[in-house]
Each structure stands twice: as C-alpha cells, then as structure tokens.
Amino acid sequence: MKKIKLDIVGLSYSQTQSGAYALVLGEVGGNRRLPVIIGGFEAQSIAVEIEKMTPSRPLTHDLFKTFAETFAIKLEEVLIYNLVDGIFFAKLLCSNGEKTVEIDARTSDAVALAVRFECPIYTYDFIMNTAGIVIEGNDFAFLENIENVGSYKNEPAEEKAPEPAEKDSSKNKPSPYASLSLEQLEKTLEKAIENEQYETAAKIRDEIEKRKS
C-alpha cells in the first residue's frame, strides 16, 4: 500500500473538552490533514519537545529515548497503519542495526517518540481518504474549528472524540493571562516549566504566540 508522509502542523487545546487536545498531522506536499484527539499528558510531551523546553526531570518519552539509545536501538519510523471504529492504530519500527522490530503503540505515544528521535511519520492513503480533511486556504482557520470537524480518536477508553461547543458564557471568558505583559508571561512560563506544570505552560505559550502573531 502507498505510504503518505506526515508532519505535525498543529496542536490545539480543546475549549470544549477538558484535558483533550487536537493533534493535526499534515500530508507532506499535499493539502490533507489528519486530526487526532489525544490526552493532555501526551499533548504536553509533544509540545515540550517541539518547543525545545527543558523539564527539570525527564518525561516518560524522554526516558524511553534514553533507554533505547543506551542499548543502541533506533526508532526508524512511525506508521499509523489502521483505523477501526474511529480508533487509530500505530506501530514503531525499531532497529538495532541488525534486525528491525515492529512494536504496537498508541498514536499519541508514537508521535511523541517520533519528534524525539526525529524520525518520519507515515500513514496509508486509505486512512487519509477515510479520516483526512482537505484544507483550502488558511490552516489556522482550520485549527480554530478543529473541535467541530473531527470524529476520530486515538484511544477509546481515555480519549474521546470532540464534542460540539456549547453555547454558554464561559466560552467568552477572557484568558486568565490577558492582563499580564509579555515579559511577565515569559517569566510565568519559565516558572511553570520549572514546576513541571506543563498544561499551564502550554496555555501560557498559546497566549504568548497569540500576542506575537
């Protein structure tokens, strides 16, 4: 089957589903996007590596990388190989130089490891045709509406599909960081990382990026 190479094009905090994040994978050289709803811990782990943050103690995925490298094991690629009842299935293709072994993994964990090993992420064309979304125009407009278009999830027990936004006043509440200056935000971000409050750090980083855009 034809494999499609993917890049991470977005990681958005869900305003309607507590603790949920939308991981958006984009087709390299194409305009299809693959949204996957993942848990908070995995989203924070991916964000920490992408933003090159340095936690005071290694995260689980950092430990896995160190363990693998200690025994000369390399992650060659990540493959999202199946989609059953709205659930993505992924595997790690690992090699010690002599043989390659396939290891089953959740998609979120697989992507968190891929960004650390700097290895490619692939999926099959039939998955993009089934769960992918064709983007025309601005990608950021898509990210703002991700919660209303996705219906595929990474794991059934822990990570649910996005729910439609409720019409209530809480959606219009200002950010708790709106009153802070950019300098104060950056100091607060450093403190949050130092205290291993990665969910808070992700929200502060989003506010900083909003100010700079």
Side-chain angles (χ1 to χ4, degrees):
M1 287 185 285
K2 180 183 178 182
K3 292 198 297 186
I4 306 295
K5 189 174 183 180
L6 302 172
D7 275 340
I8 298 174
V9 297
L11 185 59
S12 175
Y13 182 75
S14 173
Q15 300 297 325
T16 62
Q17 199 168 340
S18 178
Y21 288 75
L23 170 67
V24 186
L25 303 173
E27 177 184 20
V28 175
N31 62 345
R32 290 183 294 180
R33 301 290 183 264
L34 190 67
V36 185
I37 302 304
I38 66 176
F41 173 78
E42 293 80 8
Q44 291 157 21
S45 181
I46 294 169
V48 163
E49 182 62 24
I50 290 176
E51 297 294 329
K52 300 303 178 184
M53 299 177 183
T54 305
S56 58
R57 300 296 297 153
L59 302 179
T60 302
H61 298 107
D62 298 320
L63 177 61
F64 184 98
K65 181 174 185 286
T66 301
F67 180 87
E69 290 180 336
T70 300
F71 292 94
I73 298 171
K74 183 179 179 182
L75 179 58
E76 299 284 353
E77 72 175 67
V78 163
L79 177 63
I80 303 171
Y81 67 93
N82 206 357
L83 177 65
V84 179
D85 295 330
I87 303 168
F88 292 104
F89 289 79
K91 57 187 174 184
L92 312 174
L93 277 70
C94 304
S95 173
N96 64 357
E98 296 180 359
K99 66 177 182 178
T100 299
V101 177
E102 297 181 356
I103 301 175
D104 188 40
R106 295 190 306 167
T107 301
S108 54
D109 289 325
V111 172
L113 291 172
V115 296
R116 285 166 170 78
F117 282 90
E118 298 182 346
C119 76
I121 303 170
Y122 294 100
T123 191
Y124 290 124
D125 198 48
F126 82 89
I127 292 179
M128 295 301 292
N129 289 335
T130 302
I133 299 170
V134 178
I135 301 303
E136 296 180 0
N138 196 316
D139 283 350
F140 292 102
F142 165 72
L143 292 179
E144 290 172 359
N145 295 291
I146 184 66
E147 293 142 5
N148 296 323
V149 298
S151 60
Y152 298 91
K153 50 187 179 295
N154 176 40
E155 183 167 296
E158 299 178 3
E159 298 165 356
K160 300 178 180 178
E163 299 174 357
E166 295 180 2
K167 295 181 180 180
D168 58 31
S169 58
S170 62
K171 189 174 181 180
N172 298 321
K173 286 184 179 179
S175 166
Y177 309 107
S179 61
L180 299 180
S181 67
L182 190 58
E183 183 179 355
Q184 289 173 321
L185 284 172
E186 290 173 346
K187 289 181 179 180
T188 305
L189 175 60
E190 291 177 5
K191 187 175 180 180
I193 295 172
E194 183 179 344
N195 294 330
E196 300 186 7
Q197 298 172 330
Y198 300 117
E199 184 169 350
T200 299
K203 293 178 182 179
I204 296 171
R205 187 192 69 248
D206 290 344
E207 180 67 25
I208 291 174
E209 291 178 352
K210 188 189 301 182
R211 299 273 188 94
K212 291 182 177 180
S213 62

